[in-house]
Amino acid sequence: DLGYGAARGAEMLSLMLLSGIASRLISGWICDHIGGIRTLLLGSALQGVALLLFLPFDGLVPLYVISALFGLFQGGIVPSYPLVVREYFTPKEAGARVGTVLMATLLGMALGGWLSGAIFDWTGSYRMAFVNGLAWNLVNVAIVGFLLVRVRESQRRA
């Protein structure tokens, strides 16, 4: 909606996806060092920062940079979910739980994409769609933060 055309948007999306590949590798390395839940919290928090950066900037160069950052921060989030399940559940329980977590994640992403389009249709701008994404990202960070605190408390008791 900024007037740059579909080709610029496709380039930004390609850059975002390319950064997502690097993110998966980097997040795996980070996970090996700090664990799945901390990696998930880090990626989720940084994803929120990238979403926030989309709000004040509308220049072409900043949008390319923010797209790359978003891909870098977001790409390792979904692969972190199975790692978190693996860390805290037995192998017997992990299969069903990973499936459930990934199903909920993919459903949320599908709904989020649709809702962002609907918000654009209602408002004529993606600004509120980014605000909506940021709000849901904060919900995710709150849930992961709660889980991290809960894990720390149970480890302290043990």
Side-chain angles (χ1 to χ4, degrees), residues 87-110:
E87 288 175 0
Y88 298 104
F89 293 97
T90 66
K92 184 176 180 180
E93 296 175 293
R97 292 183 189 269
V98 166
T100 302
V101 168
L102 291 179
M103 179 189 67
T105 300
L106 296 173
L107 181 64
M109 287 190 287

Side-chain angles (χ1 to χ4, degrees), residues 69-83:
L69 287 174
F70 183 83
L72 191 60
F73 298 153
Q74 174 271 345
I77 291 175
V78 173
S80 295
Y81 290 131
L83 299 174

Side-chain angles (χ1 to χ4, degrees), residues 37-38 87-88 146-158:
I37 201 160
R38 287 182 182 90
E87 288 175 0
Y88 298 104
F146 169 77
L147 292 173
L148 183 60
V149 168
R150 192 166 171 202
V151 165
R152 282 186 179 168
E153 286 177 3
S154 69
Q155 288 175 345
R156 194 172 24 125
R157 284 187 221 135

Side-chain angles (χ1 to χ4, degrees), residues 19 23 27 42-50 53 68-77:
S19 296
S23 175
S27 293
L42 177 65
S44 296
L46 290 173
Q47 175 182 260
V49 169
L53 288 174
L69 287 174
F70 183 83
L72 191 60
F73 298 153
Q74 174 271 345
I77 291 175

Side-chain angles (χ1 to χ4, degrees), residues 41-61:
L41 183 60
L42 177 65
S44 296
L46 290 173
Q47 175 182 260
V49 169
L51 282 170
L52 191 60
L53 288 174
F54 275 113
L55 293 174
F57 294 101
D58 60 4
L60 199 55
V61 172

